[in-house]
Structures are given as C-alpha cells and as structure tokens.
Amino acid sequence: MATQSAVHISEFDRETEVEAAGEGLWRAEISAGWNIGQTPNGGYLLAIGTRALSRALPHPDPLTVTGHFLARSKPGPMQIKVDVHRPGSSTSTASALMSQDGEPKVALLATFCDLSRANGITRHDDGPPELPPLEDCLAYEGGPNEALAMQQRVEQRFAPQSVGWTRGELNSRSDMRGWVGFADGRAPDLLSLAFFADCFPPAVFTSMGPVGWVPTLELTVHFRAKPSPGLLRCAFRSASITGGFTEEDGELWDSDGKLVALSRQMAKVLRWG
Amino acid sequence: MATQSAVHISEFDRETEVEAAGEGLWRAEISAGWNIGQTPNGGYLLAIGTRALSRALPHPDPLTVTGHFLARSKPGPMQIKVDVHRPGSSTSTASALMSQDGEPKVALLATFCDLSRANGITRHDDGPPELPPLEDCLAYEGGPNEALAMQQRVEQRFAPQSVGWTRGELNSRSDMRGWVGFADGRAPDLLSLAFFADCFPPAVFTSMGPVGWVPTLELTVHFRAKPSPGLLRCAFRSASITGGFTEEDGELWDSDGKLVALSRQMAKVLRWG
C-alpha cells in the first residue's frame, strides 16, 4: 500500500510534505522542481509553511495567510517552527518560522477556519476575469536567460495580451492573466492556491517589459472557497510602484466561476544590472 | 520640561506610547478614546503594535505590517512580546504578540526598512480617488445605537455618496471615501497610516446599508511614503463577500497627491442578531 500511494501521489503533494520533528517543529525537503532560476518559488514555500500550520492547528482550512520572505531559500532541508497563538472555536491563529541551517528564510502568520461552516452573506460585484478560451491562450516557457524549472510543474496558458511583452508589445497597464493548473493533472485545492497566487511572471512585465528581478517581499492570500477540479482563471495586476516597491493584486477563480482566493503581494522591482 | 511635553503631545502619540518592560517585552495602555462601541479600533491597536516593533528593529520605517485580531481587546494594559527574526541590512522582520491578562489579542508580522533609501522606479497608473472639496463633504458621527468615541479623535469628511446609506440611499458598489486627519491637528506620519487604514465605517455599508457588525479579522498595510501635512484622501472598497468573509481594499493619499499607503483587510460581515 505504501508503494501504491508513492506511485500515485502528485508532485505537489510529495514536494510539500512536512513531517513532525518534535514539539512545534516540522521538517520539509525543498525540491528544486519549483525553482525560478536557482531560487524556490515563493508561493511554493508559502504552501509548505501553510501545510505545517494546518498540521498544528485544529481547523482544517487556511483563511488568511501572510508570508514574509527574509532571505533566499534553496533546495534541501527546511525546518519549520510553529507557535500556536489561539486555538479558538471558530478560528485559530499561529505563526511559523521556516529556517535553513539555522538561518530564517520565511516568516508566516495565519488564521485557519472551517470554510464549510462559512454560511454568511455571499455577494460578488464582478465575475471572473475575462479570458480567451484555453485554445487561444499561449504558453510561456521562460526567456533565454531563465531556467524556470517550475514551468515543468504547471500547465499555464496566458491571455495573448499578457505575453505581448515577450514580443516587445507593452500594455498601458500591468495586467497578467491566464489559466493555470498542475502539469500532472492534480486538481487544485485550498493549499495549492498559496502556490498558484505566486506562479505567474510579474504583472509589471506586461507594461514595462522584463525590467528586472521582481522578488516577493511579502505575500498574503485570502482563501474564500475550495476550488472545483479544472484549470483556475487568474488575473494579477499592479497599479503603483513607489521607489521600487509595488503591489501585485491577484484573483483566482475556479472552473465553476467561483472566486476561490484573493492575493496581494509586496514586491521589489530591481532593474537588471 | 516633562510638563511642557505632556502639554504638547498629541492624543495619538500619547495613547500609542509603548514602554520597555524587559527583554523583547513592551507595555502599552489602551485608551478608551479610540473605541468603537466597547472595543478599541483595530487600526489603533495595529499602530501600537507597529510602534513596539519600531522600537525593537534597526530600520526606522514600517514597510508592510499584518495584524490578526484574535479576540476583542479592551481599554487598559497591553503587553507586547516582540521576536526579531532577521535584522537584515536593507530590511528587518519581526513578529509581535499583544496580550491582555495573558490572553492573546493581536498577532503581528512586519517588515521594516528605510523608505528614504527607496530610490527605485516610481510609476502610478492612477491618481488619488476623486473627492468633492472638503466643504462639500459630510461628517458622520455614528448611528443612534453606536457610541463612536473614536469620532472625537478624528476629523473625517465623507463624499456625500459614501454616506447615502445613513439616509437609506444605497450604491451599486461598496465604496467608502473621504478626507481624514487627527482632530487635534497632529500631522499624519507613517505610524498613523496603520490607524487611518481602519477608521472609516465598513465599505459594505455603502451598498448594503448598516447590515451588521463587521469585525476585522486581519489587516495588512503597505507603507509607501511619508505623508505631507494635511488631510489624507482615502477610498475603501469591497467587491466580494463569500460566506460572510469580505476584503476591504484601501488607498491612502496625502495632501500633495502622493500615494502613502495601501491596505487590505479581511473582515466578517455579521448581520445584527
């Protein structure tokens, strides 16, 4: 049975696994399979931290998770220390600190709940972002100087306007949108939304071209609902950059047209060279 | 000299003071002057936590601060425990836990920097939110069942459309905008933006009326620039509610037309009993 499950387990499930390593301690093995260049993707790390938090908290579902990226991580062992602040009745809150060789890499703060009990008002002023049908959307495999190992893990198709920058065609606003799912066919779930919220090229590329490295300093994901199987529809937008600091606001909708997550990150736009 | 400074110190400065109380420990006195009903305003608490963090970290300016509100706070003593994760060269990151009588109330995660050294790209796709001139905007002192002590501390003037709900006139979208500053004339600074990001009535009131209590579960503020003296122009918007959970996205601009902060909170819309 162990052999059978090892055969069927998805890349994302296997490579976000956490194992107990003592009181409030967890251990993960960061895979190089989600790298952007030499650096593991921030959303992938956030998903691992969120998975450790889910093991430590009594509620099943992440509701809001914030990660601060302190230093570049690398593939290999990661230790995760979890401090539970309040195991409440309807929500519970905890912090986590992810470290490699004793050096802090990612700090998290998260509140969990049971989304199946969220029975309050539902009201959406807008529908999912407009996207051409999948067959009219385009793949992007990374530029000539990029080694996007992560692209092997995801199925991604961008609105043609969102990859105009790869041909030198820039838009007036930063708006990166497309379809996304796992390349191995694993269905999206709540945990995976932490990753999908950070797996598109920076939205600022659509208006400014590939101006530089845009590392994530902080990423917050609001989880709204469990996604249905099928590709997600996503849009990421940046409207302001001040002294190099920009926001990137994301919305993730499932194949049923349901809003499943909102994200906002603070990133730094660092010009090449 | 102590007497003189006690005379001139602003309400906000005095009532967000923190004093050292041991290794990594700070102590504040929560004032009832910033209450909404019986509960201190969340942004006021976030400002106090941010002030404790600023004392513990080597960088002068908050860059991104997230607070999770675990349980209702009350006026009186608050203990703040700060854990510094990384006192880096360009940014530094720390967590804080605010407690009363040993019960955790607010958990924070923050990254600080020196904004005067932020010399990267600046680009804004949009200007400040449109607002009628101050003399055409309206005060809102709270409804008949509300005791908004906080309103005595702020000078607030709303766009007439944003307070239509007080006369039963609802808008199609949730959009709460207006001018704001301190009633005692204290100029806004970065720290005060943590408070101003949470001092307007809930944006959902503009489209749904005063449907209920809308407690903040989590509030994240991105600090962009030091505000110039004068009233801030703010707009807060909510576009989606799922099972009672909503986002409220804020933008805060200063009197010079400069974006000084973005905020996003997750709140719960709880219908009145």
Side-chain angles (χ1 to χ4, degrees):
Chain A
M1 191 147 140
T3 310
Q4 196 173 37
S5 87
V7 171
H8 291 289
I9 194 167
S10 77
E11 292 169 336
F12 183 74
D13 290 325
R14 189 176 62 239
E15 295 172 354
T16 58
E17 263 180 8
V18 297
E19 59 182 35
E23 179 69 22
L25 283 182
W26 307 85
R27 196 190 156 285
E29 183 72 22
I30 307 301
S31 161
W34 308 82
N35 274 10
I36 306 287
Q38 301 300 308
T39 308
N41 169 269
Y44 167 59
L45 298 172
L46 194 73
I48 292 172
T50 302
R51 194 159 168 185
L53 286 159
S54 77
R55 295 278 295 274
L57 288 171
H59 294 91
D61 303 321
L63 177 63
T64 168
V65 177
T66 290
H68 287 231
F69 298 87
L70 284 57
R72 286 196 195 196
S73 300
K74 60 190 179 193
M78 178 75 83
Q79 194 187 56
I80 307 158
K81 184 174 180 302
V82 175
D83 283 310
V84 177
H85 300 308
R86 181 175 180 260
S89 57
S90 63
T91 60
S92 48
T93 301
S95 295
L97 188 63
M98 302 173 69
S99 305
Q100 292 186 305
D101 302 326
E103 191 195 355
K105 301 288 192 177
V106 189
L108 292 91
L109 177 57
T111 292
F112 276 58
C113 71
D114 184 345
L115 281 178
S116 71
R117 297 192 176 186
N119 54 8
I121 298 168
T122 292
R123 173 190 156 130
H124 295 274
D125 291 351
D126 305 298
E130 282 183 32
L131 268 181
L134 189 62
E135 58 272 23
D136 296 334
C137 287
L138 304 172
Y140 167 65
E141 305 291 351
N145 300 318
E146 296 169 286
L148 302 184
M150 187 187 76
Q151 295 305 122
Q152 306 301 313
R153 293 282 193 272
V154 292
E155 157 109 23
Q156 232 170 2
R157 291 290 179 277
F158 296 93
Q161 271 209 322
S162 293
V163 285
W165 59 274
T166 62
R167 305 179 304 270
E169 294 163 17
L170 304 183
N171 302 322
S172 61
R173 300 185 72 98
S174 300
D175 186 322
M176 179 73 74
R177 55 177 72 186
W179 304 88
V180 71
F182 288 113
D184 66 2
R186 179 195 187 277
D189 62 359
L190 285 168
L191 184 68
S192 68
L193 301 177
F195 164 67
F196 288 126
D198 189 41
C199 75
F200 279 42
V204 294
F205 284 10
T206 61
S207 65
M208 303 177 70
V211 282
W213 175 252
V214 187
T216 303
L217 301 179
E218 177 252 300
L219 171 60
T220 296
V221 182
H222 289 186
F223 300 82
R224 289 294 184 89
K226 294 179 190 184
S228 300
L231 296 180
L232 301 167
R233 265 172 204 262
C234 305
F236 298 90
R237 300 180 185 93
S238 300
S240 61
I241 314 176
T242 310
F245 295 107
T246 189
E247 88 288 358
E248 186 172 291
D249 288 353
E251 42 180 301
L252 292 79
W253 299 71
D254 73 2
S255 60
D256 287 339
K258 189 165 80 245
L259 177 68
V260 292
L262 292 178
S263 68
R264 171 174 282 178
Q265 66 171 262
M266 175 177 272
K268 191 150 192 195
V269 183
L270 298 170
R271 284 187 187 279
W272 301 122
Chain B
M1 191 149 144
T3 311
Q4 196 173 37
S5 89
V7 171
H8 290 290
I9 195 167
S10 77
E11 292 168 337
F12 183 74
D13 290 325
R14 190 175 61 238
E15 294 172 353
T16 58
E17 263 180 9
V18 297
E19 58 182 36
E23 179 69 23
L25 283 181
W26 307 86
R27 195 189 156 285
E29 183 72 22
I30 307 301
S31 160
W34 308 83
N35 272 11
I36 305 286
Q38 300 300 309
T39 308
N41 168 269
Y44 167 59
L45 298 171
L46 194 73
I48 292 172
T50 302
R51 195 158 168 186
L53 286 158
S54 76
R55 296 278 295 273
L57 288 171
H59 293 90
D61 303 321
L63 177 63
T64 167
V65 177
T66 290
H68 286 231
F69 298 87
L70 285 55
R72 286 196 195 195
S73 299
K74 59 190 179 196
M78 178 76 83
Q79 193 187 56
I80 308 158
K81 184 176 180 300
V82 175
D83 284 309
V84 177
H85 301 308
R86 180 176 181 260
S89 57
S90 62
T91 61
S92 49
T93 301
S95 294
L97 188 64
M98 302 173 69
S99 304
Q100 292 186 304
D101 303 325
E103 190 194 357
K105 301 289 191 178
V106 188
L108 292 91
L109 177 58
T111 291
F112 276 58
C113 72
D114 183 346
L115 281 178
S116 70
R117 296 189 177 189
N119 54 7
I121 299 167
T122 292
R123 175 190 156 129
H124 295 274
D125 291 352
D126 305 299
E130 283 183 31
L131 268 180
L134 189 63
E135 57 271 23
D136 296 335
C137 287
L138 304 173
Y140 166 65
E141 305 292 350
N145 300 317
E146 296 169 285
L148 302 184
M150 188 188 75
Q151 295 306 121
Q152 306 302 314
R153 293 282 193 273
V154 292
E155 157 108 23
Q156 233 170 2
R157 291 288 180 279
F158 296 94
Q161 272 210 322
S162 293
V163 285
W165 58 274
T166 62
R167 306 178 303 269
E169 295 163 17
L170 304 182
N171 303 322
S172 60
R173 300 185 72 98
S174 301
D175 186 322
M176 179 74 74
R177 55 177 72 184
W179 304 88
V180 71
F182 288 114
D184 66 3
R186 178 195 188 277
D189 62 359
L190 286 168
L191 183 69
S192 68
L193 302 177
F195 164 67
F196 289 125
D198 190 40
C199 75
F200 278 41
V204 294
F205 285 10
T206 62
S207 64
M208 304 176 70
V211 283
W213 175 249
V214 188
T216 303
L217 301 179
E218 175 253 299
L219 171 60
T220 295
V221 182
H222 289 186
F223 300 82
R224 290 294 185 88
K226 294 180 188 182
S228 299
L231 295 181
L232 301 167
R233 266 171 202 263
C234 305
F236 298 90
R237 301 181 185 91
S238 300
S240 60
I241 313 176
T242 311
F245 295 107
T246 189
E247 88 287 356
E248 185 172 291
D249 288 354
E251 43 180 301
L252 292 79
W253 300 71
D254 73 3
S255 61
D256 286 339
K258 188 166 78 245
L259 177 68
V260 292
L262 292 178
S263 68
R264 171 173 281 177
Q265 66 171 262
M266 174 177 273
K268 191 150 191 193
V269 183
L270 297 169
R271 282 187 188 279
W272 300 123

